[in-house]
Amino acid sequence: MTRSWSLLPELRPCWAIRLWQCILMMLAIDIWWARTPFTRSSTESSRSLPIALWTVLSEQVCNRRACASRTPMDVRVLPGAVKITPAHDPNDFDCGKRNNLPFISCIDGDGNISPDCGVFSGMKRFAARKAVLEALKEKGLYRDTKDNPMVIPVCSRSKDIIEPLLKPQWYVSCKEMAQKAIDAVRTKELRLIPAIHEATWYRWMEDIRDWCISRQLWWGHQIPAYFVTIEGQPVGQDADDNSWISGRDEEDAYRKAQDKFGVDRSKIHLRRDEDVLDTWFSSGLFPFAIFGWPDETEDFKAFYPGSVLETGHDILFFWVARMVFFGQALCGALPFREVYLHAMVRDAQGRKMSKSLGNVIDPLDVIHGISLEALYAKLNESNLDTKEIERAKEGQKKSFPDGIPECGTDALRFALCAYTLQGRDINLDVLRVQGYRFFCNKLWNATRFAMMQGIGAGFRPQPRFQLSGNESQVDKWIVSRLAYAVRQCEDGFRNYEFPQATTACYNFWLYELCDVYLEYVKPKFQSGSAEEAENTRQILYTAFEIALRMISPFMPFISEELFQRLPRRSDDAAPSIMVTAYPDPEEFASYRDEALEKRFDFAYDIVKRIRSLRADYQLTKTKTQVTIECADEELCQLVKNFEAFILQLTNSSSLTAFVAGTQQAPAGCGIVTVSDRCRLFVLLKGVIDIDKEIARAEKKRNALQDQVKGTKDTMEKTGSKMPEAVREQNIQKIAQMETEIGHLADALQQLLAMK
């Protein structure tokens, strides 16, 4: 750790807290600039105004002279001379170092002009500006004042102008630590997840500079550095490393001072640096300091190093890198092996959340819900000014016209984990979170239904699930899909691919367990045999119990509530889902049957085609006869194996399957092609009013044709004036309507054939 000068904003007390304060920047130069070239005339000085101003200062202050040097400037706008103030400007600071210029501070820590500045000494910065202008006018050197567009940093709290000052600071050399951190990532000893952040890691580390760890604040860890003064010897400079020592406490510092300077302790005087450590320095000690470091406590031996760190990617360098630095340098080991970097939450349009924009989403408001009026009330209680409040209200009205609906904790947790697929940012749409709330309702209703069908109180599940051998194809299919979902969740968690796990849970619960299997098993509880009903209950219980355990990390509250209502497999089972083992994919691996799943997918495709045809003719409750023509006997047998499933999910009265060429389908049927090896015939004659259906189909077809024509005419009229995004939408809309027109034409042809 070394002590050297650094250009920093100055901190001063402001009422009860310290705020960044502003200082004058080389008196009045910022107000005006000389535009006069170096030409001599009878009425003008041969020097441009900045040099003229320096002459005023040099005559009245301390015989200092200007120094010409190159500095960033636009000569087209500002011809003439430009002042160089290395002690008060970041660009000039670098320029001063390059050209070995003196670093002269004209301002003290209270924002007053320094004592060696003649008549201007002790003046407040703004008073000094006016005084300099008056001095120029008195000497006849003042020419003009013109506006000069420039960027001026302003404190967000006090609204003061922030100016840099030279301050001695403590620095830590990071090159060696950075190289070790680079090597750790390259050798995969340290794993960054997602891997896209490795490029950021290398960019920061390979171009690293010394780290300034001094902070002029009232709070924080005080730097353990002591300035040494020895009686009878000259007092050293504040920026001189030789006059400083470090120690864990004052006693340790005295011992080191005695050893270093070889004098008696009675002649040594110590002054501890008032600065505190950078917050990230203190935070970097976290992984091992909490276990009693530097002492090798039992906790330190047991828990350091850790395994996984989860944090935001925006502090990858500020915090994660510093913990890696200190872990390797002070403990000889990385503080963790893996770093999972989550995305940043933004609004639905991808904008950063801002109070003034009115797009800030409070997680508690998403959980409990809030009206638009209540959102307005929260704004009125904020510290925004009136104009910002009005602008924020407009933003809230646009983003949440009906307020924020109540979504609950589980829905919000599930949504945030599902959103991580987006990468660096999460564009949070409250309506999507609300969709997961409806999903929670689905879980609740489905579990309640299953309990009413016999897996609630009084039901005794098997101590260990196993198939009896009497299960149907659909029973085996749901167990196979459960095994697949368990494997997907396990892989998702292990690889930090949380959307993979949420998708597996969502699809199994909604599209497979609720939409398919529950609908299929309803008749078994009503009219099936006792053995069939018992087998179904065992499978149903297993599906619900495992599915609740799968989704528990994402939805802990509803899963716990429903889990408590299910019976246990044994008396010594875990009392809570929170301490129940997560489903093991190896336990269900033997139940996975991909060939069965392919056969089921074909049968389910038949179900969806029949449902679509029934929807076209608005056959909601009417049962119909279904005939299926298959290309060969194998496919015909497949259909027969799923006959009960197809009948139940399509509300059909009968199903006949035959091999093509062996018989004919009945007349008066709607025909649907499933594939090149299978056709469906749904009997419609006598079930629908054919003339009425023909008229309805023709009316809908004509309306769609008019819409297509109108959209095409609009696109031709607007031509290139139409935005590209709107044009793409219209093209997609036309394609959809033309597809629907084709379906209606087929339906009309079939209807006409029935007459």
Side-chain angles (χ1 to χ4, degrees), residues 77-138:
V77 178
L78 304 172
V82 178
K83 54 86 182 173
I84 303 295
T85 55
H88 297 285
D89 180 89
N91 291 327
D92 291 358
F93 180 83
D94 293 334
C95 180
K97 291 177 67 177
R98 288 195 305 270
N99 295 277
N100 197 27
L101 300 179
F103 286 72
I104 303 170
S105 294
C106 299
I107 309 160
D108 63 21
D110 293 322
N112 300 326
I113 304 304
S114 299
D116 60 348
C117 292
V119 297
F120 305 110
S121 298
M123 289 186 180
K124 293 291 184 182
R125 49 189 173 153
F126 295 120
R129 287 173 180 262
K130 296 179 181 178
V132 168
L133 289 178
E134 291 301 322
L136 288 169
K137 292 176 180 178
E138 289 175 4

Side-chain angles (χ1 to χ4, degrees), residues 148-160:
N148 174 45
M150 60 192 306
V151 177
I152 300 179
V154 178
C155 177
S156 61
R157 294 187 179 182
S158 67
K159 307 304 180 185
D160 286 333

Side-chain angles (χ1 to χ4, degrees), residues 422-471:
Q422 293 186 3
R424 294 181 61 88
D425 295 312
I426 290 175
N427 296 346
L428 184 62
D429 186 352
V430 174
L431 294 180
R432 180 172 174 181
V433 183
Q434 187 184 29
Y436 289 126
R437 174 200 169 187
F438 299 149
F439 174 57
C440 290
N441 293 343
K442 192 78 171 181
L443 265 63
W444 180 271
N445 293 332
T447 307
R448 295 283 294 171
F449 170 79
M451 293 177 65
M452 288 189 295
Q453 300 304 320
I455 69 167
F459 172 71
R460 187 69 177 180
Q462 298 169 326
R464 182 180 178 84
F465 173 73
Q466 57 184 3
L467 295 176
S468 66
N470 297 322
E471 289 79 12

